[in-house]
Amino acid sequence: MKITISQAPAHNDQTVTMGAWLANKRSSGKIAFLQLRDGTGFIQGVVVKNDVSEETFQLAKNLTQESSVYITGKIVEDTRSPFGYEMQVSDIELIHESIDFPITPKEHGTEFLMDHRHLWLRSKKQHAVMKIRNEIIRATYQFFNENGYVKIDPPILTGSSAEGTTELFHTKYFDEEAYLSQSGQLYMEAAAMAFGKVFSFGPTFRAEKSKTRRHLIEFWMIEPEMAFVDHQESLEIQENYVSFVVQSVLENCKLELQVLERDTEKLEKVKAPFPRISYDDAIDLLKDKGFTDIEWGEDFGAPHETAIAESFDKPVFITNYPAEIKAFYMKPDPNRSDVVLCADLIAPEGYGEIIGGSQRIDDLELMKERYEQHDLTGEAYKWYLELRQYGSVPHSGFGLGLERTVAWISGVDHVRETIPFPRLLNRLYP
Ligand code: 4AD
Ligand code: MG
């Protein structure tokens, strides 16, 4: 019977066949330990000289890294391995011999590994990170589906900018100028007026010349948008969503978190509600922490965010930023027009901003004013203003950056390891 490694626990004491690759190997005169992987998991195959044909034992002993095989044997419990099972091998059929696989068990430099990303993805650590990414996506769909949201897909090719014009990827759209989407938000606002509560999940692009451990040129964003929901209500949705995702990973990715040696105690604490601190109070906090130069009106950089996050053991919302340093569509605080009804959610442990969100301006005249202040003109914006013209309602939304969230939950320090094929400032290969 042919099974996958993930199915091994259901076949204890049975003889089965698996298609697999050899990840690693140890052998002596009488026994060979094969570390096997098949994409669904990793398992050890034990080949004992006296129990198999001479041919099979020689094949096992000489098997090269990443060679592919059909391997047959009995599944038995193995309490020493985290997976809990191993295979007592009886037969091996070589499918393809891999010669000189470039990524050996020794240490390699990051650039070398990035150049071999198409092969590096096979490694145990990368496998664990991608499985966690997959679980975050799965939990995201579950959360929004269970809470009455409709998944809506905004376009990737757009005629307008959502998050300022400096970081746009330009492209030709036949005779017109077009951009790759920086955010689906503006379209999601139209969708919220049609479906009430909506969310998107898709790639977004920022032509940002940043070379930090938090920046990708192409990243994936989850963007919910809700009609009749104000800023405070939106924060509650955000904290419930992030808690649900973290608790789902803890529940469903135990093995992966173990492979990554993630301190799960820190993740256990991530349960709603999350603390909130106003931008004003954050400035005072930073001054107390030794950032004596910071002035009201300045945006926070990574060191500021990390310093603020250190004061809390859960993600923290920084709310009500100065209008000047935030996007044109954010609604001013009715009690104070110099700040807007917005929040960034800062992850613990130095992982930085994972969510940016706000209540949106719903007043047509104010939105027109903002357009003029931000020099946003042209036909492309006509439709967005019309959303304020026909039954405008209070509405809010947010965007969660998937890769930063994966980095935080997995405990890997650079976002380049959280997406299968990262697009970085100097990297379009592979
Ligand atoms: O704060 P941002 O720019 O917000 C928006 O785009 C809003 N329109 C979202 C909305 O309200 N619908 O981006 C949202 C999140 C950030 O908090 C961060 O997690 C992630 O997207 N992000 C990036 N991730 C990786 N690389 C980059 N260059 C990123 N820029 C933003
Ligand atoms: Mg932001």
Side-chain angles (χ1 to χ4, degrees):
M1 185 179 185
K2 197 154 84 180
I3 67 161
T4 61
I5 293 175
S6 62
Q7 292 167 333
H11 294 271
N12 193 23
D13 266 341
Q14 294 172 16
T15 296
V16 296
T17 297
M18 303 182 308
W21 291 268
L22 183 77
N24 202 354
K25 181 188 68 186
R26 268 185 311 124
S27 66
S28 68
K30 292 193 163 67
I31 193 161
F33 297 100
L34 310 179
Q35 304 308 320
L36 302 160
R37 57 165 203 91
D38 75 343
T40 73
F42 291 78
I43 193 170
Q44 172 163 275
V46 184
V47 194
V48 180
K49 191 172 193 300
N50 290 340
D51 295 350
V52 297
S53 70
E54 183 57 25
E55 199 190 342
T56 300
F57 190 70
Q58 286 310 319
L59 184 58
K61 264 195 87 160
N62 297 323
L63 206 56
T64 51
Q65 195 191 347
E66 287 305 315
S67 285
S68 48
V69 293
Y70 285 118
I71 191 157
T72 302
K74 192 161 110 180
I75 302 295
V76 292
E77 266 186 73
D78 168 31
T79 47
R80 287 155 306 174
S81 87
F83 180 54
Y85 295 87
E86 64 179 25
M87 178 187 255
Q88 290 173 351
V89 178
S90 49
D91 193 24
I92 304 172
E93 180 194 332
L94 182 66
I95 303 171
H96 182 250
E97 188 179 15
S98 156
I99 296 168
D100 294 336
F101 188 70
I103 305 174
T104 59
K106 70 164 198 209
E107 287 277 312
H108 294 282
T110 304
E111 283 308 301
F112 178 86
L113 290 169
M114 293 301 293
D115 283 341
H116 294 85
R117 182 67 177 167
H118 49 298
L119 304 176
W120 189 25
L121 274 177
R122 302 179 185 193
S123 81
K124 209 167 191 170
K125 181 182 173 199
Q126 299 307 314
H127 187 266
V129 176
M130 288 308 136
K131 289 293 284 282
I132 289 173
R133 178 183 170 106
N134 181 61
E135 175 59 17
I136 295 171
I137 296 167
R138 192 207 60 75
T140 293
Y141 277 83
Q142 187 187 344
F143 179 85
F144 289 111
N145 282 321
E146 285 178 357
N147 285 286
Y149 288 67
V150 179
K151 165 103 191 315
I152 292 285
D153 305 313
I156 306 294
L157 287 167
T158 68
S160 57
S161 120
E163 293 294 316
T165 50
T166 51
E167 298 165 358
L168 281 172
F169 267 108
H170 294 249
T171 182
K172 272 267 157 287
Y173 192 76
F174 305 109
D175 295 334
E176 280 180 69
E177 178 83 349
Y179 317 106
L180 299 184
S181 176
Q182 293 171 306
S183 157
Q185 181 195 320
L186 307 190
Y187 294 96
M188 295 310 286
E189 288 185 53
M193 301 305 139
F195 298 92
K197 292 196 284 186
V198 293
F199 75 107
S200 68
F201 172 52
T204 45
F205 306 85
R206 307 265 166 112
E208 207 171 346
K209 297 251 155 95
S210 301
K211 207 176 170 186
T212 79
R213 63 193 190 89
R214 296 172 179 180
H215 285 90
L216 290 163
I217 305 300
E218 177 181 304
F219 66 99
W220 286 63
M221 193 157 34
I222 289 126
E223 294 189 272
E225 192 73 33
M226 298 80 66
F228 309 107
V229 164
D230 68 20
H231 175 54
Q232 294 304 328
E233 293 166 323
S234 175
L235 296 187
E236 285 168 25
I237 295 164
Q238 293 171 47
E239 63 196 0
N240 287 331
Y241 164 48
V242 171
S243 305
F244 182 78
V245 163
V246 170
Q247 297 309 315
S248 296
V249 172
L250 280 169
E251 181 65 30
N252 300 323
C253 297
K254 293 196 174 80
L255 214 55
E256 288 79 9
L257 292 166
Q258 202 176 333
V259 166
L260 296 167
E261 295 173 17
R262 182 69 171 97
D263 179 354
T264 49
E265 253 172 56
K266 294 204 167 105
L267 296 177
E268 305 278 357
K269 293 190 188 131
V270 181
K271 290 194 177 136
F274 298 162
R276 291 132 168 81
I277 180 173
S278 70
Y279 173 90
D280 291 359
D281 290 345
I283 290 279
D284 291 343
L285 178 69
L286 286 170
K287 288 205 152 106
D288 287 349
K289 287 190 159 240
F291 292 88
T292 45
D293 292 345
I294 187 124
E295 303 261 5
W296 196 95
E298 283 174 30
D299 206 356
F300 297 145
H304 304 118
E305 287 176 357
T306 302
I308 294 164
E310 271 169 9
S311 303
F312 306 92
D313 60 3
K314 291 184 191 185
V316 54
F317 289 111
I318 306 177
T319 70
N320 299 49
Y321 281 73
E324 273 167 54
I325 55 171
K326 286 292 180 187
F328 72 94
Y329 51 70
M330 293 186 182
K331 190 180 173 75
D333 186 333
N335 305 314
R336 236 185 97 180
S337 65
D338 59 338
V339 298
V340 283
L341 298 176
C342 75
D344 285 354
L345 183 65
I346 313 298
E349 302 172 70
Y351 287 94
E353 178 200 326
I354 53 168
I355 290 184
S358 63
Q359 185 165 344
R360 324 305 193 185
I361 292 174
D362 49 54
D363 179 73
L364 180 64
E365 290 315 311
L366 180 59
M367 187 59 97
K368 280 184 178 161
E369 237 173 71
R370 282 287 191 276
Y371 265 69
E372 274 161 31
Q373 287 162 1
H374 288 258
D375 268 337
L376 301 166
T377 49
E379 272 296 291
Y381 294 96
K382 186 167 167 277
W383 65 264
Y384 186 67
L385 288 178
E386 283 179 5
L387 303 177
R388 276 80 187 159
Q389 204 174 335
Y390 304 109
S392 192
V393 298
H395 64 288
S396 304
F398 61 95
L400 173 130
L402 178 62
E403 289 75 16
R404 290 190 192 173
T405 307
V406 176
W408 161 48
I409 297 177
S410 307
V412 304
D413 36 81
H414 201 298
V415 287
R416 67 185 163 219
E417 288 185 47
T418 64
I419 184 165
F421 296 97
R423 299 296 172 237
L424 300 162
L425 199 49
N426 299 317
R427 181 170 293 281
L428 193 58
Y429 177 93

PDB file of all heavy atoms in Angstrom, residues 14 19 50 56 65 160 163 193 212 260 280 366 392 403 410:
ATOM      1  N   GLN A  14       2.208  -1.730  10.108  1.00  0.00           N
ATOM      2  CA  GLN A  14       1.886  -2.245   8.767  1.00  0.00           C
ATOM      3  C   GLN A  14       3.064  -2.037   7.821  1.00  0.00           C
ATOM      4  O   GLN A  14       3.847  -1.115   7.999  1.00  0.00           O
ATOM      5  CB  GLN A  14       0.665  -1.510   8.195  1.00  0.00           C
ATOM      6  CG  GLN A  14      -0.613  -1.790   8.962  1.00  0.00           C
ATOM      7  CD  GLN A  14      -1.754  -0.903   8.483  1.00  0.00           C
ATOM      8  OE1 GLN A  14      -1.691  -0.303   7.413  1.00  0.00           O
ATOM      9  NE2 GLN A  14      -2.802  -0.831   9.290  1.00  0.00           N
ATOM     10  N   GLY A  19       6.824   7.109  -1.564  1.00  0.00           N
ATOM     11  CA  GLY A  19       7.724   7.819  -2.468  1.00  0.00           C
ATOM     12  C   GLY A  19       8.432   8.871  -1.631  1.00  0.00           C
ATOM     13  O   GLY A  19       7.783   9.594  -0.880  1.00  0.00           O
ATOM     14  N   ASN A  50      21.412  -7.387   7.994  1.00  0.00           N
ATOM     15  CA  ASN A  50      20.980  -8.784   8.086  1.00  0.00           C
ATOM     16  C   ASN A  50      19.518  -9.007   7.728  1.00  0.00           C
ATOM     17  O   ASN A  50      19.101 -10.150   7.538  1.00  0.00           O
ATOM     18  CB  ASN A  50      21.230  -9.323   9.501  1.00  0.00           C
ATOM     19  CG  ASN A  50      22.715  -9.488   9.761  1.00  0.00           C
ATOM     20  OD1 ASN A  50      23.505  -9.558   8.814  1.00  0.00           O
ATOM     21  ND2 ASN A  50      23.102  -9.513  11.022  1.00  0.00           N
ATOM     22  N   THR A  56      19.923  -4.416  -1.602  1.00  0.00           N
ATOM     23  CA  THR A  56      19.195  -3.321  -0.947  1.00  0.00           C
ATOM     24  C   THR A  56      20.098  -2.597   0.048  1.00  0.00           C
ATOM     25  O   THR A  56      20.099  -1.366   0.122  1.00  0.00           O
ATOM     26  CB  THR A  56      17.934  -3.867  -0.221  1.00  0.00           C
ATOM     27  OG1 THR A  56      17.097  -4.474  -1.188  1.00  0.00           O
ATOM     28  CG2 THR A  56      17.179  -2.765   0.502  1.00  0.00           C
ATOM     29  N   GLN A  65      22.360  12.211  -1.426  1.00  0.00           N
ATOM     30  CA  GLN A  65      21.412  13.212  -0.931  1.00  0.00           C
ATOM     31  C   GLN A  65      20.479  13.672  -2.050  1.00  0.00           C
ATOM     32  O   GLN A  65      20.938  13.977  -3.150  1.00  0.00           O
ATOM     33  CB  GLN A  65      22.191  14.401  -0.381  1.00  0.00           C
ATOM     34  CG  GLN A  65      21.342  15.322   0.473  1.00  0.00           C
ATOM     35  CD  GLN A  65      22.071  16.625   0.788  1.00  0.00           C
ATOM     36  OE1 GLN A  65      23.273  16.748   0.576  1.00  0.00           O
ATOM     37  NE2 GLN A  65      21.333  17.586   1.304  1.00  0.00           N
ATOM     38  N   SER A 160      -4.562  53.638 -10.352  1.00  0.00           N
ATOM     39  CA  SER A 160      -4.393  54.634  -9.291  1.00  0.00           C
ATOM     40  C   SER A 160      -3.548  54.061  -8.168  1.00  0.00           C
ATOM     41  O   SER A 160      -3.369  52.857  -8.069  1.00  0.00           O
ATOM     42  CB  SER A 160      -5.762  55.031  -8.746  1.00  0.00           C
ATOM     43  OG  SER A 160      -6.433  53.876  -8.284  1.00  0.00           O
ATOM     44  N   GLU A 163      -1.383  53.959  -1.714  1.00  0.00           N
ATOM     45  CA  GLU A 163      -0.526  54.274  -0.566  1.00  0.00           C
ATOM     46  C   GLU A 163       0.603  55.239  -0.932  1.00  0.00           C
ATOM     47  O   GLU A 163       1.755  55.030  -0.584  1.00  0.00           O
ATOM     48  CB  GLU A 163       0.070  52.976   0.000  1.00  0.00           C
ATOM     49  CG  GLU A 163      -0.938  52.036   0.632  1.00  0.00           C
ATOM     50  CD  GLU A 163      -1.593  52.595   1.887  1.00  0.00           C
ATOM     51  OE1 GLU A 163      -0.893  53.167   2.733  1.00  0.00           O
ATOM     52  OE2 GLU A 163      -2.816  52.460   1.997  1.00  0.00           O
ATOM     53  N   MET A 193     -19.165  48.301   0.313  1.00  0.00           N
ATOM     54  CA  MET A 193     -20.452  48.971   0.084  1.00  0.00           C
ATOM     55  C   MET A 193     -21.414  48.042  -0.659  1.00  0.00           C
ATOM     56  O   MET A 193     -22.613  48.268  -0.680  1.00  0.00           O
ATOM     57  CB  MET A 193     -20.254  50.265  -0.726  1.00  0.00           C
ATOM     58  CG  MET A 193     -19.333  51.275  -0.061  1.00  0.00           C
ATOM     59  SD  MET A 193     -19.837  51.723   1.616  1.00  0.00           S
ATOM     60  CE  MET A 193     -18.241  51.744   2.430  1.00  0.00           C
ATOM     61  N   THR A 212      15.757  45.969   4.420  1.00  0.00           N
ATOM     62  CA  THR A 212      15.720  45.619   5.844  1.00  0.00           C
ATOM     63  C   THR A 212      15.158  44.205   5.959  1.00  0.00           C
ATOM     64  O   THR A 212      14.673  43.641   4.989  1.00  0.00           O
ATOM     65  CB  THR A 212      14.798  46.555   6.651  1.00  0.00           C
ATOM     66  OG1 THR A 212      13.443  46.147   6.435  1.00  0.00           O
ATOM     67  CG2 THR A 212      14.949  47.998   6.224  1.00  0.00           C
ATOM     68  N   LEU A 260      11.555  24.627  14.491  1.00  0.00           N
ATOM     69  CA  LEU A 260      12.083  26.000  14.467  1.00  0.00           C
ATOM     70  C   LEU A 260      12.565  26.459  15.845  1.00  0.00           C
ATOM     71  O   LEU A 260      13.037  27.579  15.989  1.00  0.00           O
ATOM     72  CB  LEU A 260      11.008  26.956  13.944  1.00  0.00           C
ATOM     73  CG  LEU A 260      10.580  26.700  12.492  1.00  0.00           C
ATOM     74  CD1 LEU A 260       9.319  27.470  12.151  1.00  0.00           C
ATOM     75  CD2 LEU A 260      11.710  27.074  11.537  1.00  0.00           C
ATOM     76  N   ASP A 280       0.609  59.852  20.935  1.00  0.00           N
ATOM     77  CA  ASP A 280       1.111  60.840  21.912  1.00  0.00           C
ATOM     78  C   ASP A 280       1.838  60.148  23.068  1.00  0.00           C
ATOM     79  O   ASP A 280       2.937  60.535  23.447  1.00  0.00           O
ATOM     80  CB  ASP A 280      -0.057  61.653  22.512  1.00  0.00           C
ATOM     81  CG  ASP A 280      -0.697  62.577  21.494  1.00  0.00           C
ATOM     82  OD1 ASP A 280      -0.222  62.607  20.341  1.00  0.00           O
ATOM     83  OD2 ASP A 280      -1.687  63.243  21.857  1.00  0.00           O
ATOM     84  N   LEU A 366     -14.775  66.412   2.449  1.00  0.00           N
ATOM     85  CA  LEU A 366     -13.465  66.249   3.087  1.00  0.00           C
ATOM     86  C   LEU A 366     -12.543  65.398   2.218  1.00  0.00           C
ATOM     87  O   LEU A 366     -11.347  65.675   2.081  1.00  0.00           O
ATOM     88  CB  LEU A 366     -13.634  65.615   4.477  1.00  0.00           C
ATOM     89  CG  LEU A 366     -12.334  65.403   5.250  1.00  0.00           C
ATOM     90  CD1 LEU A 366     -11.588  66.724   5.471  1.00  0.00           C
ATOM     91  CD2 LEU A 366     -12.603  64.725   6.601  1.00  0.00           C
ATOM     92  N   SER A 392     -23.063  56.978   1.488  1.00  0.00           N
ATOM     93  CA  SER A 392     -21.806  56.835   2.235  1.00  0.00           C
ATOM     94  C   SER A 392     -22.085  56.395   3.669  1.00  0.00           C
ATOM     95  O   SER A 392     -23.059  56.847   4.275  1.00  0.00           O
ATOM     96  CB  SER A 392     -21.076  58.176   2.221  1.00  0.00           C
ATOM     97  OG  SER A 392     -19.764  58.018   2.682  1.00  0.00           O
ATOM     98  N   GLU A 403       3.886  38.059   5.341  1.00  0.00           N
ATOM     99  CA  GLU A 403       5.260  37.605   5.579  1.00  0.00           C
ATOM    100  C   GLU A 403       5.785  38.056   6.933  1.00  0.00           C
ATOM    101  O   GLU A 403       6.488  37.315   7.615  1.00  0.00           O
ATOM    102  CB  GLU A 403       6.186  38.067   4.450  1.00  0.00           C
ATOM    103  CG  GLU A 403       5.941  37.322   3.139  1.00  0.00           C
ATOM    104  CD  GLU A 403       4.686  37.760   2.404  1.00  0.00           C
ATOM    105  OE1 GLU A 403       4.156  38.841   2.731  1.00  0.00           O
ATOM    106  OE2 GLU A 403       4.230  37.013   1.507  1.00  0.00           O
ATOM    107  N   SER A 410       6.766  32.257  13.379  1.00  0.00           N
ATOM    108  CA  SER A 410       7.791  31.215  13.218  1.00  0.00           C
ATOM    109  C   SER A 410       9.056  31.517  13.996  1.00  0.00           C
ATOM    110  O   SER A 410       9.867  30.616  14.226  1.00  0.00           O
ATOM    111  CB  SER A 410       8.195  31.077  11.744  1.00  0.00           C
ATOM    112  OG  SER A 410       7.084  30.891  10.938  1.00  0.00           O
TER     113      SER A 410
END
